[in-house]
Amino acid sequence: MMKKLIGKLHLYLGLISGIMVFIISVTGCILAFEQEIKTITQPYMFVNGPTGGKVLPPSELAEIAKKALPGKIAKGVLYDTPDRNAQVGFYNLDPEYYYVAYINQYTGKLEHVWNEDDDFFHFILHGHYYLWLPEKYGQTVVASATLVFFFMMISGIVLWWPKNKSAAKQRFSIKWNAAWRRKNYDLHNVLGFYIMSIGVILAVTGLVWGFQWFSQGLYTATGGEGSDMYYNPPSDTVSTAQVAGPMQAVDKAWFQLQKEYPKYSTLNISFPTEKAESIFSYVNFREGTYYNVDYHYFDQYSVKKINATGPYTGKYSEANFAQTLRRMNYDIHTGAILGLPGKILMFCASLVCASLPITGFVIWWGRRKKASKKVRKSVPVLATPQ
């Protein structure tokens, strides 16, 4: 009785969420190798000429970038690996825009200005996060579909579970020499079983971004204290110790970090645009990932380090389990935490996830047609009146 009820829920929730799960999964497949594709299609990411030597400070790079984007607000600079150009980011919510100026970090030559609105992967990402709906609605829709998908994974394993040893033999392999309906059934059941654990990981890590209650609950359940949200601690606006200006403070903070971290993969430092805003910086030690990071906050007036709370503060080596897990969330979701093999694994899993609504629909449609034929056969043929 319980299995029959679970089967009904699995069916109807699958029919409701199928198209959404398909889009989320397919866009996830496309995004899996975004960085690898961009290194080929965006040559302006790389330094054109000799590398090494003296690197220009943030204030100089910001001034060069502002000339290319007058009237736009520079928010920070990312110093990438020595063979890549620095990136000065410009973004705002109202009016909304997002630009990145790629500048040779040694010579100061502007190589390219990237506009988010013209980027193919931004379009795909918007579909993955919001199904191309307005963000305030799309995020809830995608998160709800992800929650349904999580239930589908759990209910699917209940329905898959064999009754006996004889039935178990048919649950682990696809019968390729069978009729197409049986092959479709096996593709749904067998592949669904093999990617179930990865599907659950994709769903859980996705829900961290989808629902704040889920994100906070998971953070607290894994030992986190306080809020899991990003928090930028304020600068001391009444401090008597002041430097010449915000950009000079950024330069001083950057020089401090350069001394503290002579070797790193990437270094990002923000430009404060509000009076009480602190200077935020992170130092990344593993290229292509975001978890192995040390976070720092500086008072924009005294340039002293400020203590902060939550998962996005302090050194990675000092993070507790909850903070470490939260920092790893994106890299677990994309598979980047395992390098290229992890990305390939997540790509294949997403591809199977995209196929499940299709094979599931075909199973339901076939049974529906079969049931309607039985009904027609069971109806007695009445004699034609004379």
Side-chain angles (χ1 to χ4, degrees):
M1 182 66 183
M2 181 58 71
K3 198 168 185 179
K4 188 175 182 181
L5 176 61
I6 291 172
K8 289 290 184 184
L9 287 172
H10 189 86
L11 168 63
Y12 293 123
L13 288 176
L15 290 173
I16 293 168
S17 66
I19 186 64
M20 292 180 281
V21 170
F22 176 79
I23 293 171
I24 295 166
S25 300
V26 170
T27 52
C29 287
I30 297 171
L31 291 168
F33 303 108
E34 176 186 3
Q35 298 306 319
E36 288 77 7
I37 294 170
K38 281 185 174 181
T39 58
I40 299 171
T41 61
Q42 300 179 352
Y44 52 79
M45 294 171 62
F46 298 91
V47 173
N48 184 16
T51 60
K54 185 179 178 181
V55 176
L56 298 176
S59 60
E60 291 189 34
L61 294 176
E63 285 303 313
I64 295 167
K66 285 177 182 177
K67 291 177 182 177
L69 292 162
K72 301 294 188 292
I73 303 171
K75 292 288 189 174
V77 60
L78 174 71
Y79 290 89
D80 215 321
T81 52
D83 63 328
R84 297 193 179 211
N85 290 314
Q87 303 170 35
V88 180
F90 294 75
Y91 51 89
N92 194 52
L93 293 177
D94 189 21
E96 187 176 359
Y97 59 78
Y98 189 7
Y99 297 93
V100 176
Y102 287 84
I103 303 172
N104 187 311
Q105 58 185 313
Y106 310 106
T107 65
K109 181 184 177 184
L110 177 68
E111 296 291 348
H112 184 79
V113 175
W114 174 86
N115 183 354
E116 181 184 63
D117 292 337
D118 300 331
D119 186 70
F120 168 74
F121 285 105
H122 169 65
F123 172 76
I124 297 299
L125 186 66
H126 201 276
H128 191 67
Y129 279 0
Y130 311 114
L131 293 177
W132 299 291
L133 298 170
E135 293 182 14
K136 64 178 181 178
Y137 305 116
Q139 181 175 334
T140 303
V141 171
V142 168
S144 300
T146 305
L147 190 60
V148 169
F149 179 73
F150 175 79
F151 171 80
M152 299 288 287
M153 289 286 101
I154 305 302
S155 60
I157 199 68
V158 173
L159 298 173
W160 171 91
W161 202 264
K163 293 179 180 180
N164 49 53
K165 289 184 179 180
S166 176
K169 293 178 181 179
Q170 302 174 14
R171 294 289 196 271
F172 296 99
S173 61
I174 300 169
K175 198 172 183 180
W176 294 109
N177 60 348
W180 74 268
R181 289 186 188 278
R182 176 55 191 266
K183 279 188 281 192
N184 180 76
Y185 180 84
D186 285 350
L187 285 169
H188 188 80
N189 279 3
V190 177
L191 294 184
F193 166 74
Y194 283 121
I195 65 98
M196 191 273 294
S197 57
I198 301 175
V200 168
I201 291 171
L202 286 169
V204 170
T205 51
L207 285 169
V208 167
W209 299 309
F211 289 126
Q212 177 53 33
W213 60 264
F214 184 91
S215 177
Q216 182 64 59
L218 183 62
Y219 181 67
T220 303
T222 52
E225 297 180 358
S227 174
D228 73 320
M229 297 182 71
Y230 167 74
Y231 171 68
N232 187 300
S235 293
D236 184 1
T237 56
V238 296
S239 173
T240 56
Q242 294 193 8
V243 294
M247 290 309 297
Q248 286 71 26
V250 171
D251 282 353
K252 289 187 71 173
W254 178 72
F255 280 118
Q256 284 186 41
L257 292 170
Q258 292 283 67
K259 289 180 181 179
E260 187 175 351
Y261 299 99
K263 290 184 179 181
Y264 55 81
S265 175
T266 58
L267 187 154
N268 179 285
I269 192 162
S270 70
F271 305 150
T273 56
E274 302 291 338
K275 187 177 179 181
E277 188 180 351
S278 61
I279 300 167
F280 163 71
S281 179
Y282 68 78
V283 182
N284 192 339
F285 300 100
R286 185 182 173 190
E287 187 177 359
T289 62
Y290 296 93
Y291 73 94
N292 192 356
V293 168
D294 286 358
Y295 293 96
H296 298 278
Y297 301 87
F298 297 87
D299 187 294
Q300 67 164 294
Y301 302 103
S302 65
V303 200
K304 292 180 180 178
K305 287 188 179 181
I306 308 172
N307 293 324
T309 58
Y312 308 107
T313 183
K315 295 185 176 182
Y316 174 73
S317 59
E318 298 172 356
N320 60 33
F321 177 73
Q323 292 171 329
T324 302
L325 189 63
R326 181 50 49 88
R327 293 181 183 206
M328 288 181 170
N329 192 75
Y330 178 84
D331 295 314
I332 292 173
H333 189 78
T334 61
I337 197 161
L338 298 177
L340 184 59
K343 289 187 174 185
I344 294 172
L345 179 64
M346 288 306 189
F347 170 83
C348 294
S350 294
L351 202 59
V352 173
C353 289
S355 75
L356 292 176
I358 299 171
T359 53
F361 178 83
V362 171
I363 292 170
W364 169 76
W365 188 258
R367 288 176 177 174
R368 182 174 172 272
K369 288 182 71 177
K370 193 174 180 180
S372 64
K373 284 181 180 179
K374 284 184 179 180
V375 170
R376 285 199 298 269
K377 285 181 180 180
S378 64
V379 175
V381 179
L382 299 177
T384 305
Q386 298 297 322

